[in-house]
Amino acid sequence: MSKPTPDLMERIVSLCKRRGFVFQSSEIYGGINSCYDYGPLGAELKRNVKDAWWRAMVTQRDDVVGLDSAIIQHPEVWKSSGHVAGFSDLLIDCKKCKGRFREDHLGGTTCPDKEFKGRPAEQCRAEGLMTEPRAFNLMFETHAGPVKDSASVVYLRPETAQGIFTNFLNVVNSSRMAPPFGVAQIGKSFRNEITPGNFVFRTREFEQMEMEFFVPPAEGERWYEYWVNERFDWYVRNGVRPENLRKYVHPEKDLAHYSTGCTDVEYLYPFGWGELEGIAKRGDFDLSAHSKGSGKDLSFYDEATKERFVPHVVEPAAGCDRAAMTFLVDAYDEEVVTSEGGKEEVRTVLHFHPRIAPITVGIFPLVKKAGMPEKAKGIQAELQDLGLRTFYDQKGAIGRRYRRMDEVGTPYCVTIDGDSVEGDGTVTVRDRDSMAQDRVAPAEVGAFLREKMRAWKRG
Ligand code: GAP
């Protein structure tokens, strides 16, 4: 299946629920709009996405360090950053159907009213059925402490980025980093979105993976180009098909208040092209704004050149939930295969990169006797020691067990049969994508899998 189809999303959402990737939040109470919980496999998937990001952005570099800042920060942070005054969408209400719309999304929206169902929302607006647009701030507001008054107002952070800017001096002084260098952070962000939707694509609570890269002003353009390419390539290196990705350069009139240039990495979702990640040139907007707001000098003195400057920032900002959903959508396939009995059947398979797959190895004793479970448990313990996520299953026909692993994207299965116990001692390693089977000595299974994982390529 090379082309996404509109009902593909429904099939993926159904798979996510059936196999424990994503559940509607508070489902036993009827659910809550746009809030989702990640099940056992979804939690593993998200963890793998975050690990892959952290490895590429921090562990494998010596010019980026990590940070974990608080969700609730001083309210002045959001005044200086411009969020209190400007982090809003234009909201329009329909007086007839009582629908609530984002003005910038009106173009692609149809009326949900029974009478008008399917007609463009723009037509309702032209007929005077809609209110004038009004600005709606997306920050969730709450109160710190027992007294609910204007002095106790605080916000749930709408992006992780500001915690990085406010810690710029702390990081420079404690880590002795000098531009060009980056600070990376993964964490929850909250936005009171007017129109959340498309499953976990746009929700009110989500996780971001952001990195602020501080550079001497003259190097801004070079690093912007570098990070646009690097971030695009990261998705490809982790298994996303490049033909489903593109770079979208924002026209100047659409840039956010802090940005002097922005390129999105977009993905071709079943509902059309959508932003997966944004790479922005933020100039010196943030450090200058926080210098002014806090009264602290956030410039940098370069000992080598004896120059003082306010670093410019290049920011690759990704969504973890959106990335996890993208890996899922891109990995999803339905293939016609011939079963052992010669019958044609549809195999649902997730072609995850082994690094991203929630389970790396299924461990199957062919039958639950004759020493096979014991041998299988021994191999499982060794693979667990190597840090691989395994799943042990000794029930049902082996073909069914393989299919269940295909459906959740497990790249390898190890089967322990009679020969493993009484014959030459080898076990079968089955490959999810090619369905090829190799006989491997138990002591070599770990190294064999590691090599296969290293050499994995999307077919
Ligand atoms: N610091 C810059 C910033 O936050 P953004 O484009 O608003 O930029 C970055 O957000 C990324 O966070 C987006 O590309 C998207 O992947 C993710 N994201 C933003 N809003 C989201 C939402 N409501 N639900 C899920 N992910 C979201």
Side-chain angles (χ1 to χ4, degrees), residues 150-187:
S150 59
S152 66
V153 167
V154 289
Y155 304 96
L156 301 187
R157 69 179 175 201
E159 61 173 18
T160 59
Q162 296 304 322
I164 298 178
F165 299 127
T166 56
N167 277 293
F168 173 74
L169 276 187
N170 284 334
V171 173
V172 167
N173 293 338
S174 60
S175 314
R176 300 175 57 221
M177 302 298 283
F181 80 97
V183 182
Q185 159 152 250
I186 298 178

Side-chain angles (χ1 to χ4, degrees), residues 203-219:
T203 52
R204 297 195 169 111
E205 172 184 343
F206 53 97
E207 270 184 288
Q208 287 188 306
M209 309 184 290
E210 298 197 286
M211 198 271 285
E212 308 304 320
F213 202 71
F214 301 97
V215 300
E219 293 181 27

Side-chain angles (χ1 to χ4, degrees), residues 388-400:
L388 300 181
R389 182 81 174 92
T390 62
F391 176 78
Y392 180 89
D393 187 4
Q394 57 179 24
K395 284 193 241 108
I398 192 72
R400 295 268 304 277

